[in-house]
Amino acid sequence: SWAVGVAGAVAIGPEAAAASGLCAGLAGGIIGRHRLPIIKRAFNAGLFALACGLGGLAFTGFGGGLTSGQWTIPDVLAAGACLLTYLGIAFPLLVGVIKISTGRSLASIWEDLRWIPAQVLISATLGFSLGTAYLLFGWAGAAVYIAPLFAMREAMRQYTRRVGKQMTELRVAHAEADEANRRLSAANDELDHTNEGLLKTLAAVIDANDIFLYGHSVQASKYAGQVARKLGLPAREVRLAELGALLHDLGKIGVSAAILNKPGRLTDDEYDEIKQHCNIGYQLLSNLPHFEEVAEIVWSHHEEYDGTGYPRGIAGEDIPIGARIVSVVEATEAMVSDRPYRRGMSPDEVLMELAAGAGTQWDRQVVEAFSGILSADRKHLVMRNSALDIELSRSPISDLVRRGADETAEATGSPLEAVNETFLGARQPVFILDEGLRIVAANPAAERATGWREVEVQGRSWLEVCADEEPQMASPQSFINGRRVTRLRRADATDMAVEMVGARLQSNSAEYWMVLAAEAEAMAGEGDLTVRTDVMTGLPNRAELERRARIAMRKRAWPLTVTVFDIDGLGAINETFGHDTGDGAVKTLSTVLASQLRAGDIAVRLSGDRFAALMVEATLQDACRIVERVEAALPAAAADLDCVVEFCSGAAEWNGDEEFGQLLGRAETWLTAEKRSRGRVQGAAVLAYANDA
């Protein structure tokens, strides 16, 4: 098209060049397979007409016209001015409209369009030749030069079609390779996950003699990995240290339980038998493929740096680095643990003991690295293996602890007495679960209510004990996302309706979940106790919110607060980025909201982009703190989405007399006011690509 425009400028003048450009722009949107929208046709026509016409004016303005019947220096200069004028107008306009309509960077656009100047130069050369031929030889001469244009167009068409076919084949091959890699990666991940689970189960068998020691090896593995990374060891050495710590006490399965659990000091013969666990563990692991180096760590984790350890008496660098790490980690676990004949050491005592043994009992570099980790995480050192620490300060479980027990816990620095009294003395059934949702312990009230003895349910999956389908309880965290009603299966095959709420518990060796299963008698008269959940988010729905609120209002549970959350511009997100991204925004906000609430609060999905939280014994100030926590956690949770996820919120505190609908209405009034004040009425969204956020 540009070649014809140049020919028109040379042979006739600027008006012919502009007319040629106008026809070219219109033809591109009318003929061919792709029918362009009117606005694009108009842009193309205007772009070509303007660039070609001004290029023609530049040609004549600089004295071009072949007045002598042949090309002169002024004609050549005029041709250059014509070419530069065309590029100076057409190229910036084209780049500009792409930048405005897509938001892409200039560098990215240049990568796609950098071929244009060269093509314009070639087309201009043909155009100048065509115009000259017309002036010198008339239509017959012009026909000779028009033929190369058609040949050039056909060559480009065949070339682009061939390249397009090759690109399609490459994309198909690439997609097939990606799918094969994805399946292979998924299979490897599944295998790794299975192996990890088997190893943790194996370690749990060793620690399972005592509920409060459960997970000791997992904790040792965690710290061994941290020390190895702090020492700058390669990833392979880090993994060996983690596995060595996880399995370091494997050989104790060959030691008498009476000796392992002896409350008093061991005799020399008993101590010699204990020391055999290093050899037993080595023999068990050394026969497994790929575990030879792990077996060396297990064999050597009681060797001392000065050579006075067992079982072989090796010293210094002869001890594998993984074993030197496990030796320090395992010894620290022993120091902080309560024993029947002594209490665990204080944080300062542990750090002093490690410093005293550096260079003799333990590798000095390992001690320094681990002491640095422990100094930054002193919480680990103040807990005992037999003490569980309730992290959620407002959980119903902590409310069961009497003030006297709290004072004892505060005075001793250990919540042991308070938690034991809560667990054993509670009138409600209480279960302790591990992170795999297996039952670790059940209190006497649970035994009385269900008819199951603790020994009969230990190790069983929590979902086996539940009579209802609970697909949303895929992780322990689901217990703290609010109360839910389910049914527990009794030993006599009957069911009991219970309302569950959980609190996260930690010992120095593992993470647990204490689940309070209060019988749902207080909910009598409320009809069906089944919690209806939203399919997309797994949260309860509006009906559940209303039911919980009615119960709280009937009990005069004050203060009572409802907070409403609304995603900014979900419709705009769906339109701009697609419904998958919109669904991702909804799921992200629901997950963050549920994770930031206290135990006993409930988060529900009211509608497409609107959520609500019911908080019992919470003021407006408490609700504002929850909103701030959600705002702080949301950006990181939404980092993988293509859009920014923001929300407005409104809250209202119950006045003691109004119905739930009135309370919710006041919260939504505040929400609307906030949207207006922040310029977000009816879906004005704050959107951006993730890399520009």
Side-chain angles (χ1 to χ4, degrees):
S1 301
W2 170 229
V4 178
V6 170
V10 172
I12 303 174
E15 64 278 6
S20 172
L22 181 65
C23 292
L26 293 175
I30 297 174
I31 64 175
R33 289 176 299 172
H34 302 291
R35 301 292 189 268
L36 297 178
I38 293 178
I39 188 171
K40 291 192 176 185
R41 296 185 215 169
F43 174 81
N44 289 340
L47 174 69
F48 289 139
L50 184 64
C52 290
L54 292 179
L57 285 175
F59 181 75
T60 57
F62 275 81
L66 278 72
T67 55
S68 63
Q70 61 182 359
W71 282 85
T72 62
I73 291 179
D75 291 324
V76 173
L77 294 176
C82 176
L83 176 62
L84 292 177
T85 301
Y86 178 85
L87 283 174
I89 293 173
F91 200 70
L93 285 175
L94 180 60
V95 171
V97 78
I98 294 176
K99 173 68 175 176
I100 292 171
S101 62
T102 67
R104 292 168 56 190
S105 66
L106 293 177
S108 172
I109 298 173
W110 168 248
E111 284 296 318
D112 288 346
L113 303 182
R114 60 183 180 180
W115 56 272
I116 287 182
Q119 188 201 37
V120 167
L121 178 60
I122 296 172
S123 298
T125 303
L126 290 172
F128 289 130
S129 301
L130 175 60
T132 303
Y134 176 79
L135 288 176
L136 297 178
F137 306 108
W139 285 108
V144 173
Y145 279 90
I146 290 176
L149 292 179
F150 286 101
M152 180 180 176
R153 179 186 182 277
E154 180 62 19
M156 290 184 65
R157 186 182 67 82
Q158 293 183 6
Y159 171 75
T160 54
R161 184 172 59 182
R162 184 170 65 253
V163 170
K165 181 179 179 181
Q166 292 173 348
M167 291 297 295
T168 300
E169 293 173 351
L170 285 174
R171 279 194 294 267
V172 171
H174 184 69
E176 292 175 350
D178 279 350
E179 178 62 20
N181 288 334
R182 188 194 64 78
R183 289 197 298 267
L184 181 60
S185 178
N188 287 335
D189 289 344
E190 184 176 355
L191 182 61
D192 288 344
H193 182 73
T194 301
N195 289 339
E196 186 79 12
L198 290 173
L199 292 176
K200 286 185 178 181
T201 300
L202 187 59
V205 170
I206 306 165
D207 299 342
N209 290 327
D210 188 331
I211 165 187
F212 301 110
L213 286 175
Y214 192 81
H216 158 80
S217 298
V218 173
Q219 180 67 25
S221 177
K222 168 190 167 185
Y223 276 114
Q226 291 181 0
V227 173
R229 279 185 284 271
K230 189 164 186 177
L231 290 173
L233 298 182
R236 184 173 180 277
E237 294 289 342
V238 172
R239 184 58 177 158
L240 289 174
E242 290 174 338
L243 291 176
L246 187 67
L247 302 173
H248 71 280
D249 277 342
L250 176 63
K252 286 186 177 180
I253 63 177
V255 178
S256 168
I259 296 177
L260 290 176
N261 298 319
K262 183 177 179 180
R265 190 172 297 276
L266 299 176
T267 66
D268 291 342
D269 290 340
E270 290 170 338
Y271 185 57
D272 288 339
E273 184 174 345
I274 283 282
K275 290 194 292 186
Q276 290 302 313
H277 79 277
C278 296
N279 293 322
I280 296 172
Y282 172 75
Q283 292 167 2
L284 291 173
L285 290 173
S286 59
N287 293 323
L288 297 177
H290 311 300
F291 272 79
E292 295 84 357
E293 291 173 286
V294 178
E296 287 286 341
I297 294 175
V298 171
W299 197 13
S300 308
H301 75 277
H302 276 294
E303 301 288 359
E304 298 188 4
Y305 201 72
D306 60 3
T308 60
Y310 65 86
R312 293 176 290 168
I314 57 178
E317 300 296 320
D318 291 337
I319 306 172
I321 181 61
R324 282 178 266 156
I325 293 173
V326 174
S327 177
V328 174
V329 170
E330 194 268 346
T332 302
E333 285 287 317
M335 284 188 271
V336 300
S337 301
D338 289 337
R339 292 291 186 261
Y341 49 86
R342 64 157 175 83
R343 291 188 62 82
M345 294 183 180
S346 68
D348 291 335
E349 289 172 336
V350 171
L351 293 173
M352 289 174 59
E353 187 72 17
L354 289 175
T360 54
Q361 184 174 356
W362 302 296
D363 184 334
R364 186 177 301 277
Q365 289 184 327
V366 175
V367 169
E368 290 175 356
F370 193 39
S371 296
I373 294 172
L374 294 178
S375 297
D377 184 19
R378 295 176 70 89
K379 183 178 180 181
H380 172 83
L381 295 175
V382 302
M383 291 188 290
R384 314 290 186 246
N385 277 338
S386 54
L388 296 176
D389 177 27
I390 299 178
E391 289 188 336
L392 302 177
S393 60
R394 293 294 301 273
S395 73
I397 296 174
S398 62
D399 293 342
L400 295 174
V401 182
R402 294 201 302 269
R403 181 175 301 275
D406 286 335
E407 293 172 352
T408 301
E410 183 177 353
T412 61
S414 167
L416 170 61
E417 294 85 356
V419 174
N420 280 347
E421 184 172 351
T422 297
F423 179 64
L424 297 175
R427 290 176 297 174
Q428 295 93 338
V430 181
F431 300 85
I432 294 181
L433 314 180
D434 65 12
E435 60 183 8
L437 287 182
R438 292 180 296 270
I439 298 174
V440 176
N443 71 344
E447 292 184 340
R448 291 192 297 271
T450 63
W452 298 104
R453 291 183 300 147
E454 183 182 47
V455 68
E456 293 175 318
V457 294
Q458 279 181 335
R460 292 182 59 182
S461 168
W462 172 257
L463 300 183
E464 292 180 18
V465 178
C466 292
D468 293 341
E469 292 288 333
E470 291 283 352
Q472 70 271 30
M473 290 167 52
S475 67
Q477 283 84 350
S478 61
F479 291 117
I480 64 167
N481 288 348
R483 297 174 183 267
R484 60 164 47 88
V485 175
T486 188
R487 298 181 185 277
L488 292 185
R489 185 173 291 109
R490 293 189 178 97
D492 61 4
T494 61
D495 297 340
M496 59 178 291
V498 295
E499 184 184 25
M500 300 186 307
V501 65
R504 182 188 288 109
L505 309 174
Q506 280 191 328
S507 72
N508 68 343
S509 56
E511 184 173 72
Y512 305 95
W513 301 84
M514 183 179 279
V515 178
L516 176 67
E519 291 195 60
E521 296 174 350
M523 307 183 79
E526 291 297 331
D528 185 8
L529 295 179
T530 303
V531 178
R532 308 300 181 188
T533 58
D534 176 62
V535 175
M536 179 185 296
T537 64
L539 295 179
N541 59 16
R542 183 187 182 114
E544 181 65 10
L545 176 71
E546 294 178 358
R547 186 168 70 89
R548 302 290 181 88
R550 286 198 305 270
I551 295 172
M553 290 174 174
R554 189 172 63 241
K555 293 180 178 179
R556 310 297 296 177
W558 190 90
L560 178 69
T561 303
V562 168
T563 307
V564 183
F565 300 78
D566 185 281
I567 298 177
D568 286 339
L570 182 61
I573 293 176
N574 288 332
E575 182 178 352
T576 306
F577 301 100
H579 286 275
D580 287 343
T581 301
D583 291 346
V586 171
K587 293 176 183 177
T588 299
L589 180 57
S590 69
T591 301
V592 172
L593 176 59
S595 68
Q596 297 303 318
L597 293 178
R598 311 166 310 165
D601 298 339
I602 178 176
V604 306
R605 186 183 184 194
L606 294 176
S607 61
D609 60 350
R610 189 160 293 193
F611 299 81
L614 178 68
M615 302 174 62
V616 182
E617 298 181 4
T619 63
L620 279 177
Q621 289 75 19
D622 295 325
C624 289
R625 281 193 289 270
I626 293 296
V627 171
E628 291 172 355
R629 286 164 55 181
V630 173
E631 286 181 334
L634 190 57
D640 293 333
L641 296 177
D642 291 333
C643 66
V644 173
V645 181
E646 294 190 348
F647 65 89
C648 287
S649 62
E653 185 174 330
W654 185 44
N655 62 16
D657 295 322
E658 61 191 345
E659 297 293 333
F660 172 75
Q662 296 171 309
L663 174 63
L664 182 63
R666 286 201 295 119
E668 292 182 330
T669 299
W670 184 359
L671 170 68
T672 302
E674 183 186 4
K675 291 176 69 174
R676 286 175 177 161
S677 67
R678 295 166 66 178
R680 296 175 176 176
V681 179
Q682 295 302 318
V686 179
L687 304 174
Y689 286 99
N691 58 356
D692 293 329

